[in-house]
Every structure is written in structure tokens, then in C-alpha cells.
Amino acid sequence: MNLKDKIAVVTGAASGIGKDIAKVFLANGAKVVIADLNMAAAQATATEFDPSGERAMAVAMDVTSESEVEAGIAAVAARFGGVDILVSNAGIQIVAPVDSYDFGNWKKMLAIHLDGAFLTTRACLKLMYAQKRGGCVIYMGSVHSKEASVLKAPYVAAKHGLVGLCKVVAKEGAAHGVRANVICPGFVRTPLVEKQIPEQAKALGISEEDVVKKVMLKETVDGEFTTVDDVAQTALFLAGFPSNALTGQSIVVSHGWFMQ
Ligand code: NAD
């Protein structure tokens, strides 16, 4: 897939899945924006990927903040001249059972996963529509966009919500050549998942090894983790797809956990 000179904003790109997507997009010709809450890590990532600073740019952005998202995307437009691809990827996980789930944490989870997706989409769509050269929006869903697990009520609710948002963006964006799709990865060993293993072991009263084997990978066809590159290659395919034929869809990349 050739993304030559496409301008791609990836949120949460200072770590894990987003970082690898930015790397793969850059290697395929795109100019990438590493947008993250953690500016030091975002800047380090941009410098690591492109020491010249010509094709990678770090932007400090809390995706839950309307003003930071607007300012961040405005800075991208000023620097690179527009946006062609948005990967709404920033996310966190806070696990607890529903009956004791802290309301503040519930709101925080929905703010990052849903408000963040909405605010970044709105800011980028305005540019994509004005540019009149189409565009591509990719949401980082999860198998939890399709399936549920214990201890993850707001995560599952938000990831299902992204599928709805995606479908509306696909319908509204069509007239402007803007496509929208969701990637639904299985478990990927990023910091987000490493943190969960001991937390789930404690909450479920089982060993960390059993969390991996009997909870996280239980439903896969081969007991394997999905990798950051599996997800990045899927993002590359979606970003490079040339028409509205592939829009409004969600693609599960999970070693067979949840078959549609
Ligand atoms: P990660 O913790 O490695 O990276 C997440 C990044 O998001 C970090 O750099 C963090 O600073 C940033 N971030 C957090 N809150 C932010 C905010 N408010 N504004 C901007 N940036 C913020 O996590 P990851 O595993 O790479 O997860 C990335 C996405 O993939 C998330 O949406 C997650 O739900 C989704 N996902 C992950 C897995 C998995 O197993 N790791 C599976 C399915 C879906």
C-alpha cells in the first residue's frame, strides 16, 4: 500500500499499537503526526522515527479536551497543510466489576474512548471535507466491540459505541470520499495489557499465567497474542484502500477470537 505524502494523525501514538501504526505508515510514504497525552514520549517517538523532523511531528493532545484537540489539529494543518488519515487509537483500561465500578473511572473511560474519538473525528473531518480529496478514519475498537468480558463494562460499552460512530461517519463521509472503519484487535502485549495481567489475577483470584491462558487467549484458535504489527498491517490496508467500497465495517484481528 502506498500512502505517499498522505498526512496521518495517530492518537496515542507514543506507545503500543499506535506507535507501530505510525512507524508502518511512515515507512509507506506518509507524513505522520504522533498525537499523545505524553508529549515527552511523543517527541521521542517522532525523533526516533524521523530525526530530520520533516515527515514526523509530535503533538501534545489530551483527546478528551476539546480545546487541545482543536489546537492540535490546527497545528497539524499549519505544519503539513491538512489531514488525510485519522487513526483514533488513544485508550486506557480500568478493570473492576460493575457493582463496585467507580463512577469517576466510568466517565474517564467513556471520555477517552468515545469523546476522544468524536472530537478528533470532528476536527479532522472539517479539514478532509474542505480539502476535497477524500480521507480515511480508522477507529481502534477491540474484540470488545463485538464481545464482552467480565470487569470491563465501560471499555466494552465504549468499544461497541465506536462501531456506531463509525457507521454514521461512513454514511455522512461518503459524499466527500471519506471512509470510516473499525479495527478490532484481540489481546496485544502492550503496556495497556501488561498492566491488566496482575490486576485481573487479583480480581479473579487466579495466577497471572492463567489470566493469559484461560482468560485472554482462551478463545483464540492457537493460543497466540495478536501483535502490534498485525494491527498496523490492517491499518495500512484500510488507509490505502482506494474507494468507498470498504467503509462502515469492523475488522476483527484476533487469532480467531470471536468469529463474525
Ligand atoms: P498503550 O498503553 O501502549 O498506548 C496508549 C497510548 O495512549 C499511550 O501512549 C498513552 O499516553 C495514550 N493516551 C492515553 N490517554 C490519552 C489521552 N487522553 N489522550 C491522548 N493520548 C492518550 O495501549 P495500546 O495497547 O497500544 O492501546 C491502544 C488502543 O488499542 C486502545 O484504544 C486500546 O483500547 C486498543 N486495543 C488494545 C488491545 C491490546 O490488547 N493492547 C486490544 C484491543 C484494542
Side-chain angles (χ1 to χ4, degrees), residues 12-18 35-38 61-64 89-92 112-113 140-143 155 159 185-193:
S15 174
I17 292 171
D36 206 286
L37 189 61
N38 183 340
M61 183 190 289
D62 177 348
V63 296
T64 69
N89 165 81
I92 61 165
I112 293 172
H113 290 277
M140 198 51 62
S142 162
V143 170
Y155 189 82
K159 292 298 191 189
F187 281 98
V188 183
R189 273 201 111 130
T190 64
L192 180 142
V193 161

